[in-house]
Amino acid sequence: MKFILHDLAIETTRRCNLRCEHCMRGESQNIDASKEIIDMILNNDEIKRIDHICFSGGEPTLNPNIIIYAINKIITENIDVLEIVMVTNGQIFNKDLVEAFNRFNEYRNQRIKKQLTAHYNELGKDALNSIIQDNTDEHARITFSIDRFHYPISKEVRDNYKKYARGIKITEKDVDDEDIYKTGFATIGKDFNYKLDQLRYCKDGEYYMVIDNMYITSTGFITSEGMGQYSDMDRINMGHLSNTTLSEILATYGTPVMNAPRIVLEKNGPIKR
């Protein structure tokens, strides 16, 4: 059984160079995601495609090498990942990291060009080139957190990201007060009770698409959304990458939609009903 993950977040580190008063994580921890964690995600035989990967934290730029490792692995092993994004507090510029995002963007450009050429070649050169142009670039994105809780981003850091970005998108994101939850450091916002959400999935041709966000912690645990403190996610989760399959997760926490059959686990593996 093969799955398409629509939205996957990878916690690259639990270290942080700030202590924001709205942070739901709480105290930072000296823990980084390892290459083994990345390998277990990207070499998972159950995963056919990942539409969107968000490199999260902590502060992702404090563990740039693991992001670069993941991007290089996607490219060299021709793994089908459609888009990547990193959300950063914008305090650190890392040229090697930006170059890795540039490489991923070009990797996606080349894959798309090949696919579109095979599919639309009969339209003629001009029409084909127009379609290719409309579908290239911005497959990678770096987003700065600029809300009132974060330190201002220096002009030098912002300018360097924009200077070295080639085809990747540089954006800025604010946080609305209504999106803040009372957990971690936050004393304002909505009341929060950590729990595991059901994961909706549907049939997509011969594959199953997991519609909702899945979150992989830097310690290798699998959870939904990635909301709450580190201790919450380590205590209550859907299992660990090393000993839990996607089929098992969806059999327990999955909710089929759009008339998809339910995944049921039996001794000989998952079956559909």
Side-chain angles (χ1 to χ4, degrees), residues 43-56:
N43 291 136
N44 189 324
D45 290 337
E46 289 186 295
I47 299 175
K48 171 65 178 176
R49 189 183 81 216
I50 304 175
D51 289 348
H52 176 95
I53 292 180
C54 176
F55 295 109
S56 178

Side-chain angles (χ1 to χ4, degrees), residues 13-30:
T13 182
R14 291 183 172 180
R15 292 183 289 140
C16 193
N17 51 352
L18 299 181
R19 196 180 189 279
C20 299
E21 63 184 81
H22 75 313
C23 180
M24 69 173 63
R25 303 296 186 217
E27 293 291 347
S28 62
Q29 300 177 5
N30 190 26

Side-chain angles (χ1 to χ4, degrees), residues 1-164:
M1 186 174 291
K2 297 282 188 179
F3 299 94
I4 297 169
L5 303 185
H6 179 62
D7 201 345
L8 179 68
I10 301 175
E11 181 186 279
T12 60
T13 182
R14 291 183 172 180
R15 292 183 289 140
C16 193
N17 51 352
L18 299 181
R19 196 180 189 279
C20 299
E21 63 184 81
H22 75 313
C23 180
M24 69 173 63
R25 303 296 186 217
E27 293 291 347
S28 62
Q29 300 177 5
N30 190 26
I31 296 174
D32 290 335
S34 64
K35 291 180 179 180
E36 289 74 22
I37 294 293
I38 299 300
D39 289 344
M40 282 189 281
I41 296 169
L42 296 180
N43 291 136
N44 189 324
D45 290 337
E46 289 186 295
I47 299 175
K48 171 65 178 176
R49 189 183 81 216
I50 304 175
D51 289 348
H52 176 95
I53 292 180
C54 176
F55 295 109
S56 178
E59 170 50 39
T61 58
L62 293 178
N63 191 18
N65 290 339
I66 205 64
I67 301 175
I68 294 170
Y69 175 80
I71 292 172
N72 288 342
K73 186 178 183 69
I74 290 168
I75 296 170
T76 58
E77 298 184 16
N78 201 30
I79 298 171
D80 201 3
V81 175
L82 305 189
E83 181 186 49
I84 60 172
V85 61
M86 177 182 73
V87 180
T88 171
N89 59 34
Q91 303 303 304
I92 298 171
F93 171 72
N94 187 302
K95 184 180 177 182
D96 291 338
L97 196 53
V98 177
E99 290 296 341
F101 273 71
N102 287 333
R103 288 195 301 275
F104 175 85
N105 186 67
E106 184 57 30
Y107 160 76
R108 284 300 306 164
N109 282 345
Q110 293 303 316
R111 282 184 63 116
I112 288 172
K113 183 177 180 179
K114 183 177 180 180
Q115 293 166 357
L116 292 177
T117 300
H119 192 73
Y120 293 107
N121 193 47
E122 73 281 358
L123 295 180
K125 183 178 179 180
D126 290 342
L128 175 60
N129 287 341
S130 178
I131 294 172
I132 290 174
Q133 185 175 1
D134 289 342
N135 288 276
T136 52
D137 286 342
E138 297 191 356
H139 309 297
R141 175 164 46 94
I142 295 174
T143 297
F144 298 140
S145 297
I146 59 164
D147 54 80
R148 62 190 173 90
F149 300 100
H150 284 92
Y151 294 174
I153 302 167
S154 74
K155 184 177 185 301
E156 181 182 6
V157 168
R158 181 183 276 105
D159 288 349
N160 276 332
Y161 273 104
K162 293 181 178 179
K163 175 182 177 181
Y164 290 101

Side-chain angles (χ1 to χ4, degrees), residues 229-243:
Q229 301 183 65
Y230 297 127
S231 56
D232 289 334
M233 293 184 282
D234 286 344
R235 178 175 52 90
I236 302 175
N237 51 70
M238 297 177 178
H240 195 273
L241 285 170
S242 62
N243 55 23

